[in-house]
Amino acid sequence: MMTDLAITVSDERKRKRMVSNRESARRSRMKKQQHLEELVGEVARLESENAQSEMHANLLTERYSEVEAENAVLRAEAAQLAERLKSANKYLSLFEVVRGVKMDIEEIPDPFLSPWLPVCTALLNQCNC
């Protein structure tokens, strides 16, 4: 009788332990599934963020290329204008020799210092014409 009771108590302990282990395994699987879902969500968020960053970088690269092209045109125009000024100064120095009136344009006005004034107005003001 005592052995039957011991076996029954032992069987009951095994059964409780088995139920406890199953519940623990179920909780572990649920926790693992939840963690996996969180990681999948984070991957989706990071992929979206990466796509936005890539699009922004492409737009910036495109804009940089446009500005670089504009700068190249402006540099060419500045070089052409400097050459024209040099040529004009040669004619003015010849005029100065012939007429005896100083006509040299001292420097190229910087339109960036007063961008609201056209370059011609800045030249006129400089010459006091």
Side-chain angles (χ1 to χ4, degrees):
M1 190 95 146
M2 189 68 151
T3 53
D4 287 340
L5 186 60
I7 291 174
T8 306
V9 169
S10 175
D11 286 343
E12 183 63 24
R13 284 184 188 156
K14 285 180 186 179
R15 190 189 65 75
K16 282 184 180 181
R17 192 173 34 228
M18 192 169 59
V19 168
S20 176
N21 286 347
R22 283 182 184 159
E23 183 61 27
S24 178
R26 186 186 66 77
R27 284 192 308 265
S28 178
R29 284 190 305 273
M30 286 177 58
K31 188 175 179 181
K32 186 177 180 180
Q33 181 65 33
Q34 182 182 8
H35 183 64
L36 179 63
E37 289 170 3
E38 288 171 2
L39 289 176
V40 167
E42 186 175 357
V43 165
R45 181 186 62 79
L46 290 173
E47 285 176 343
S48 172
E49 187 178 316
N50 189 31
Q52 287 178 349
S53 295
E54 187 176 346
M55 187 170 55
H56 185 68
N58 289 339
L59 288 174
L60 288 176
T61 301
E62 183 179 319
R63 181 64 184 134
Y64 173 80
S65 296
E66 291 170 0
V67 169
E68 194 64 32
E70 289 173 19
N71 282 345
V73 169
L74 291 174
R75 282 188 197 101
E77 287 177 2
Q80 184 183 29
L81 289 172
E83 192 59 38
R84 288 175 63 188
L85 180 62
K86 185 192 267 185
S87 178
N89 275 334
K90 286 180 185 178
Y91 286 113
L92 290 176
S93 66
L94 179 62
F95 185 76
E96 181 181 331
V97 169
V98 172
R99 292 281 189 135
V101 178
K102 182 165 175 49
M103 298 293 291
D104 192 29
I105 299 173
E106 295 297 324
E107 63 182 61
I108 299 174
D110 191 353
F112 295 113
L113 296 178
S114 13
W116 53 89
L117 294 176
V119 176
C120 295
T121 307
L123 285 174
L124 289 175
N125 289 339
Q126 191 176 33
C127 293
N128 294 324
C129 299

